[in-house]
């Protein structure tokens, strides 16, 4: 058995709303193996971003981590001081967010930002740092690195900015990269290029990646395994192949069928799941998906199904789907 690089157990995040504690993440568990890309999918509001932010300790009130453990290469991150955690961020864990401007400082040149990250985490200085920064500008595909080095974020296009964010996330040789909707804010034509870049750099660096997206198409292209979140809980974790071919959780199948992707016969099928995901504080008793589920029975309304683990897969359902035989 592989020892995971990142292991998240029973991660719980609550929101304090005028003194009432509302559960936003309810005992979320998953792991990321060395060199693997784990996709995190789910509808808007499922808790994907909160999961990423909780791991790197970037939750801000009213959000608070109230339970669970986060272990990176055997070390408990959830026990680190804020100062120690700051050095993990940008060092052993790189991150890429949807809006490049949240990761870039508008008043510092991109060369200086790269040098600062390299110096802080790799403990090298002087000419070596600058050379490394220039190397990274080139690796992420920007022309004339010396010119780019002196430019400021506002002088770059959105796609170029995201390339620099990717360089910043990777330049300290992280063990793990957390990317939260890295292409969602970009033009469609730029999205494919950025995904390709991420795939190439992932292959070269062998850093593990947690790729958060609502887009199953991105998952199909990039991920090895996938965790499906629903209303702050894990519905299913599986390899990409199993997930698309033989989903176990009815929600997973619903999500796949609601995605415009041509099936084997070339037909584009689109079936929306009836109803909507419950909002915060409105999660029904039992399985959170039960009001929308065609397989729901009494037990689904009575108790939360435990996460049943099988090899590298897991699902939380009392009545999992059978493998369909065509
Ligand atoms: N700062 C906050 N204060 C209150 N509620 C919040 C806060 N941040 C997130 N939430 C709520 O927590 C839930 C999960 O949010 P999260 O941002 O993790 O969703 P998501 O899966 O990333 O969705 P999206 O696909 O839209 O990015 C949502 O209901 C959201 O409204
Ligand atoms: Mg999000």
């Amino acid at each position: 058995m592989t020892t995971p690089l990142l292991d998240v157990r029973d991660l719980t995040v609550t929101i304090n709303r005028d003194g009432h504690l509302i559960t936003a993440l309810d005992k979320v568990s998953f792991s990321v193996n060395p060199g693997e890309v784990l996709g995190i999918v789910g509808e808007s509001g499922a808790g994907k971003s909160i999961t990423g932010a909780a791991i790197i300790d970037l939750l801000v009130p009213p959000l608070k981590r109230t339970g669970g453990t986060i272990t990176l290469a055997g070390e408990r991150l959830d026990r680190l001081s804020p100062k120690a955690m700051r050095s993990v961020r940008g060092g052993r864990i790189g991150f890429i967010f949807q809006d490049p401007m949240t990761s870039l400082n508008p008043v510092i040149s991109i060369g200086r930002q790269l040098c600062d990250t390299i110096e802080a985490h790799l403990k090298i200085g002087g000419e070596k740092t600058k050379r490394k920064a220039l190397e990274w500008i080139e690796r992420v595909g920007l022309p004339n690195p010396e010119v780019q080095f002196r430019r400021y974020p506002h002088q770059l296009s959105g796609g170029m900015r995201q390339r620099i964010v990717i360089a910043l996330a990777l330049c300290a040789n992280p063990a793990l990269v957390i990317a939260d909707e890295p292409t969602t804010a970009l033009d469609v034509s730029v999205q494919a290029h950025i995904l390709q870049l991420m795939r190439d750099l992932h292959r070269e660096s062998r850093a593990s990646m947690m790729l958060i997206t609502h887009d199953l198409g991105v998952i199909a292209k990039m991920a090895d395994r996938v965790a499906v979140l629903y209303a702050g809980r894990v519905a299913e974790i599986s390899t990409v192949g199993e997930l698309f071919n033989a989903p176990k959780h009815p929600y997973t199948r619903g999500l796949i069928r609601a995605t415009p992707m041509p099936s084997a016969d070339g037909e584009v099928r689109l079936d929306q799941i009836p109803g909507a995901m419950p909002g915060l504080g409105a999660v029904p008793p039992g399985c959170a998906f039960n009001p929308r589920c065609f397989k729901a029975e009494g037990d689904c309304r009575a108790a939360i199904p435990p996460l049943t683990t099988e090899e590298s897969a897991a699902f939380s359902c009392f009545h999992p789907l059978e493998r369909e035989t065509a």
Side-chain angles (χ1 to χ4, degrees):
M1 240 188 79
T2 338
T3 309
L5 172 76
L6 175 76
D7 190 58
V8 175
R9 285 299 115 198
D10 295 328
L11 178 61
T12 302
V13 170
T14 50
I15 297 179
N16 188 333
R17 203 181 268 166
D18 305 325
H20 295 283
L21 292 185
I22 299 167
T23 306
L25 282 192
D26 192 0
K27 297 195 174 139
V28 165
S29 298
F30 61 87
S31 58
V32 187
N33 292 320
E36 170 179 70
V37 178
L38 178 80
I40 308 271
V41 280
E43 284 166 277
S44 184
K48 305 181 295 295
S49 294
I50 290 183
T51 303
I55 292 169
I56 46 180
D57 198 25
L58 280 185
L59 292 175
V60 284
L63 298 169
K64 191 174 190 290
R65 183 165 45 75
T66 46
T69 62
I70 301 160
T71 311
L72 181 73
E75 187 185 9
R76 285 278 295 276
L77 296 187
D78 54 285
R79 287 182 178 154
L80 292 182
S81 66
K83 182 165 177 266
M85 204 50 219
R86 265 199 300 280
S87 111
V88 170
R89 273 198 305 269
R92 285 154 67 207
I93 304 183
F95 44 92
I96 304 167
F97 295 120
Q98 175 168 344
D99 175 6
M101 286 314 275
T102 54
S103 312
L104 296 174
N105 188 327
V107 296
I108 301 179
S109 69
I110 61 163
R112 188 67 254 155
Q113 295 189 51
L114 279 163
C115 287
D116 286 348
T117 301
I118 292 165
E119 267 163 18
H121 297 287
L122 296 186
K123 313 279 181 250
I124 56 172
E127 267 307 299
K128 263 192 172 159
T129 315
K130 183 170 182 192
R131 227 179 307 137
K132 217 170 179 40
L134 289 170
E135 244 170 63
W136 271 104
I137 295 173
E138 191 164 10
R139 274 178 90 177
V140 296
L142 264 60
N144 306 321
E146 284 280 0
V147 175
Q148 310 297 348
F149 189 92
R150 291 188 297 272
R151 296 176 91 183
Y152 288 82
H154 72 267
Q155 296 174 298
L156 306 181
S157 70
M160 285 164 93
R161 277 185 213 139
Q162 198 61 312
R163 286 175 188 269
I164 294 299
V165 171
I166 291 170
L168 277 168
L170 289 170
C171 67
N173 303 330
L176 174 73
V177 175
I178 299 181
D180 187 351
E181 307 276 5
T183 58
T184 308
L186 305 173
D187 289 350
V188 179
S189 59
V190 180
Q191 289 183 3
H193 291 295
I194 296 291
L195 283 180
Q196 183 63 45
L197 173 68
M198 287 177 63
R199 211 164 25 187
D200 293 346
L201 292 176
H202 170 257
R203 216 168 278 150
E204 286 168 27
S205 73
R206 300 309 299 161
S208 301
M209 182 151 64
M210 233 179 95
L211 178 61
I212 298 171
T213 174
H214 65 279
D215 187 339
L216 279 174
V218 170
I219 291 291
K221 276 199 208 107
M222 303 280 297
D224 300 304
R225 283 191 312 132
V226 195
V228 181
L229 292 192
Y230 186 81
R233 296 178 192 155
V234 172
E236 178 162 9
I237 303 176
S238 190
T239 61
V240 170
E242 278 286 298
L243 191 94
F244 284 105
N245 294 323
K248 290 222 162 57
H249 201 293
Y251 175 61
T252 309
R253 196 174 81 177
L255 203 60
I256 293 167
R257 291 194 172 177
T259 302
M261 275 195 287
S263 55
D265 52 16
E267 216 177 287
V268 179
R269 251 194 331 233
L270 257 189
D271 297 320
Q272 297 302 329
I273 311 170
M277 193 176 69
L280 282 178
V283 179
C287 171
F289 188 58
N290 86 70
R292 303 172 78 188
C293 183
F294 75 101
K295 292 199 81 173
E297 292 179 27
D299 49 353
C300 308
R301 290 180 272 275
I304 299 173
L307 202 62
T308 308
T309 306
E310 293 175 350
E311 292 176 33
S312 63
F315 58 91
S316 161
C317 179
F318 289 126
H319 306 285
L321 300 167
E322 301 288 331
R323 184 178 285 273
E324 280 173 23
T325 44

